């Protein structure tokens, strides 16, 4: 009887360990192809180039380029701005390597905030993206001095692994305590 309980406890500990290992493996992140810009900060009305690394698209296929960002002439309510729009800039052709060559993009004269450039194609509808931030003479970095919010995936992974390890240790202690209690009761009888 006491060997059956020990075996059951060992199986339960293995199952609990597997329950934490599977979500960690399933959440492995595979980065998508990324786009790049010639500069990270652009003045309103400024021009920059955008390109995508090779193997993002099928060679010679059409690649659509779009721009998402805020126009200063749009409406705003308090600090919430509603002028974010997406504009299809046009289509280019993927190069022989499956990327895009330099695409020149000019921002509007009333540009402000951050702009996202997205390149998509029939073979890669998710596409590749990059961002540029509009800077001014008084704010050359283009940042708003606001705190960054959101979750850091590396920190979350550490929490999941640490929490799983603590749960396994706690389960092991509970199993060991139960085994010792059963052995003590068996010896007393």
């Amino acid at each position: 009887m006491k060997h059956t309980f020990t075996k059951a406890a060992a199986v339960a500990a293995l199952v609990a360990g597997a329950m934490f290992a599977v979500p960690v493996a399933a959440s492995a992140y595979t980065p998508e192809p990324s786009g790049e810009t010639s500069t990270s900060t652009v003045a309103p009305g400024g021009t920059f180039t955008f390109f995508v690394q090779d193997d993002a698209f099928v060679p010679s296929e059409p690649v659509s380029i779009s721009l998402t960002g805020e126009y200063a002439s749009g409406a705003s309510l308090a600090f919430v701005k509603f002028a974010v729009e997406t504009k299809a800039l046009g289509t280019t052709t993927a190069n022989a390597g499956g990327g895009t060559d330099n695409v020149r993009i000019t921002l509007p004269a009333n540009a402000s905030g951050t702009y996202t450039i997205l390149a998509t194609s029939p073979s890669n509808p998710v596409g590749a993206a990059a961002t540029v931030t509009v800077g001014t003479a008084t704010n050359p970095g283009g940042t708003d001095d606001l705190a960054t919010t959101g979750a850091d995936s590396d920190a979350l992974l550490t929490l999941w692994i640490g929490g799983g390890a603590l749960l396994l240790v706690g389960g092991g202690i509970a199993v060991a305590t139960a085994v010792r209690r059963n052995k003590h009761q068996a010896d007393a009888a």
Side-chain angles (χ1 to χ4, degrees):
M1 167 96 182
K2 78 176 150 172
H3 290 296
T4 304
F5 180 74
T6 304
K7 289 178 184 176
V11 169
L14 287 173
V15 169
M19 286 175 39
F20 285 100
V22 171
V24 169
S27 66
Y29 174 70
T30 303
E32 297 175 9
S34 63
E36 296 181 36
T37 58
S38 57
T39 181
S40 62
T41 304
V42 181
T47 300
F48 62 95
T49 57
F50 168 76
F51 61 95
V52 178
Q53 65 190 12
D54 286 349
D55 298 325
F57 308 109
V58 174
S60 301
E61 79 173 324
V63 178
S64 300
I65 309 290
S66 64
L67 180 71
T68 302
E70 178 184 329
Y71 293 98
S73 62
S76 65
L77 176 62
F79 292 106
V80 180
K81 299 178 182 177
F82 295 101
V84 175
E85 300 174 351
T86 298
K87 180 179 181 182
L89 296 178
T91 304
T92 188
T93 303
N95 60 27
T100 63
D101 296 323
N102 291 338
V103 177
R104 285 181 65 87
I105 298 172
T106 302
L107 294 179
N110 61 353
S112 67
T114 301
Y115 285 79
T116 301
I117 306 93
L118 178 65
T120 58
S121 72
S123 70
N124 186 355
V126 173
T131 60
V132 293
T133 303
V134 176
T136 62
T138 59
N139 189 7
T143 59
D144 293 331
D145 297 332
L146 294 175
T148 302
T149 60
D152 179 10
S153 61
D154 291 337
L156 288 176
L157 179 63
T158 304
L159 286 175
W160 274 101
I161 291 172
L166 286 174
L167 187 62
L168 286 175
V169 168
I173 291 171
V175 168
T177 302
V179 168
R180 188 178 344 167
R181 185 178 308 134
N182 286 343
K183 182 178 179 183
H184 180 65
Q185 288 175 354
D187 289 343

